[in-house]
């Protein structure tokens, strides 16, 4: 809740102007995180936790992913999502 309410939705305050004009009114995540490293850390941790939960749910629905990882000595996986690697972590476990 803190991540969504206190961080994400707060950043959407000027979305109507952005949609209308096509230009960003805010400085975006990069500038925000640069001036507030604690916010970047909280945001990243919250995103990672959410990704872990999603990855575990995916593996429950597709148990063959875990079976393949456990039985194949040369299984390869490419995680191109740009996140924390949560899906790779869950698959490797």
């Amino acid at each position: 809740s803190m991540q969504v309410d206190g961080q994400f939705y707060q950043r959407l305050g000027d979305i109507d102007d952005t949609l209308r004009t096509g230009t960003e009114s805010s400085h975006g995540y990069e500038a925000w995180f640069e001036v507030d490293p604690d916010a970047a850390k909280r945001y990243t941790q919250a995103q990672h936790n959410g990704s872990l939960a999603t990855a575990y749910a995916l593996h429950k629905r597709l148990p063959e992913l875990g079976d393949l990882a456990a039985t194949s000595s040369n299984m390869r996986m490419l995680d191109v999502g740009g996140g924390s690697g949560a899906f790779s972590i869950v698959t490797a476990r």
Side-chain angles (χ1 to χ4, degrees):
S1 179
M2 170 58 185
Q3 185 250 336
V4 174
D5 295 341
Q7 293 186 310
F8 184 72
Y9 289 141
Q10 181 180 4
R11 306 289 306 162
L12 294 175
D14 60 357
I15 196 166
D16 54 337
D17 290 335
T18 300
L19 292 172
R20 216 177 4 263
T21 65
T23 58
E24 286 186 48
S25 302
S26 69
H27 299 289
Y29 282 95
E30 185 177 329
W32 173 36
F33 291 158
E34 196 171 286
V35 298
D36 191 348
D38 288 334
K41 183 178 179 179
R42 285 190 312 272
Y43 182 86
T44 302
Q45 187 62 51
Q47 292 296 105
H48 177 72
N49 290 341
S51 293
L52 281 176
T54 303
Y56 280 118
L58 176 67
H59 277 266
K60 275 187 174 180
R61 294 192 69 182
L62 299 171
E64 61 271 14
L65 292 175
D67 294 343
L68 183 61
T71 59
S72 178
S73 62
N74 57 359
M75 179 188 165
R76 295 186 182 152
M77 177 178 166
L78 176 61
D79 183 349
V80 295
S84 65
F87 284 82
S88 295
I89 291 167
V90 170
T91 301
R93 288 182 178 161

